Amino acid sequence: MCGIVGGVAERNISNILIEGLKRLEYRGYDSAGLALINQGQILRERRVGKVVNLEQAVLDAQLNGSLGIAHTRWATHGKPTENNAHPHISGNVAVVHNGIIENYQELKDQLETLGYIFTSQTDTEVVAHLVNDALKSTPSLLEAVRLVVPKLKGAYALGIIHTDHPDELITVREGSPLVIGVGIGENFISSDQLALLPITNRFIYLEEGDIARLTRTTIEVFVDGQLVERPITELDATVTNASKGRYKHYMLKEIYEQPEAIKQTISQALNGNALREDFLANANDQFKNIQQIQIIACGTSYHAGMIAKYWCEQLIDLPCQVEIASEFRYRSPVIVNQTLYLCISQSGETADTLAALRDIQKRAVSKHLDITTMAICNVATSSMVRETNYSLLTLAGPEIGVASTKAFTTQLAALMLLVLKIGTVKQTITAEQVSQLIADLWHIPKILLDTLQNNNEILALSELFVEKQHCLFLGRGTHFPIALEGALKLKEISYIHAEGYAAGELKHGPLALVDNEMPVVILAPKDDMLDKLKSNMEEVQARGGELFVFADENSGIKSKDRQHVVNVPTVHPTLAPIVYSIPIQLLSYHVAVLRGTDVDQPRNLAKSVTVE
Ligand code: AGP
């Protein structure tokens, strides 16, 4: 999604803005631009493609200035062209924008009748013209922005500068993330703190509706024209460590970080083979009362939620529904008393999940319902964590690769902790069961390390996928969501069309696709469904399909003609989905590398989907 960086300083900030944009590249984008104010002029460069293209243009033009805004654009309105790239200029005003102005057409029509000429197809350009127009009635840039904001419908974060205000950066947050990086004698803004980590570890997280004015030495935040206090948060090194290290891609590094990430995530809640007394203790009363769980999430986080549904039902006898946020939010859901509404999100900023959460809260208030909201999230400072009653953090560290890996497996670990916690409070699980599962959970990091040893074997198999156009992933029970996740991983980074199916559904349609060109990936842990899964494998083989089986080392499944088996260490069947995530991640990674795609920033995708 679009990324914003801006700053006001004493020194030239062009390098800082470019470095910031590079650090936002992981979010996904198709063009980039930068504008600086220098001696009463706006100096602007914009380029299609990578930030390095912009960097070269800025170097060639020798742009410098101590007040500026920069942007990576992920096209929504208008193609990825230079004219559509931000910043957009109207008169002496330059604007960068993340989000969508939903009523831009109406505003554009009005502005055109006033004589404003549009040079792009974007929704953003209306904001530049509106601020320019508002400056006819006030000399204050802040006031002009305040006059414009009520006219805008949609979700947006803005950075705005003006040639007559060379020490002033105005920013607005309404539905799209924005942080202020607090420096010494200089201040910055960005859509993600990661962009500013080389400059500062002190941040102000703006709230919805905040308008802020930054100068080199001051930061003022306003709500409805009134000055408000926003705390400064200081981040520690674990949050800020986001380099690729010795790995070729962030994704590979993040795959290998999973044993440690799981250890960190479970350690916060466990004391030996028991849950810590203080783990989510402030939610005990709510957990005691809940009658069901409704999970809302998108993409990979949704798959984690699907697995949690099996766990809730099997382990603690609690009904659990899971729904994709983009569907949930638009189907007038009936909000039910004594329900735990659980949002799962790596970023905590996903537009659909956030909107669903806000809608649930609104409906619950209007009907005086007693509900509880909670987030499982990897970003402690995210909107979702701040806007829910309770949160459980996945301690995975920053995930940069667009394809989610360690965020997913730590979500599973966190979900298991939550299920054990709720079952304990509601007394629907015995202390022995809890202690056994926790003991098995402690073994998971070591089992993941052993599973990672299969890397070379999986690399060799991935060569057989390079020329393929399609692929099927099959699993049963909690490995049906892993099949979906495998297909999502493969399609998003290798661009091979892949589908995940519950193996039992095979004969109800997808079997028609199977021929000797169709690779079929099977997830075969040693659980109650193994014999049924073996029958499904026979069905595929009988139609000439080639099987790639990730199987428990004691499953009895062996390699043979057109059946390639990778042994996975034996694991408690309940926790197996955490372990079987590793081979599907490695397979997708290696296939993508062999096909030469942009593994960490696959085409058309964004890390944090902050627009719907
Ligand atoms: C997964 O590999 C994806 N990139 C994507 O499906 C992601 O999980 C989804 O956009 C949800 O993001 P979130 O966890 O930050 O809410």
Side-chain angles (χ1 to χ4, degrees), residues 297-303 344-351 353 384 399 401-405 407 411 485 488-489 492 605-609:
C298 301
T300 289
S301 298
Y302 167 70
H303 297 154
I344 307 175
S345 173
Q346 180 278 133
S347 60
E349 303 293 350
T350 301
T353 314
M384 235 172 268
E399 189 180 72
V402 163
S404 198
T405 52
Q411 282 168 353
E485 175 61 8
L488 175 63
K489 282 293 85 95
E492 80 175 323
L605 296 181
K607 180 67 183 164
S608 182
V609 186

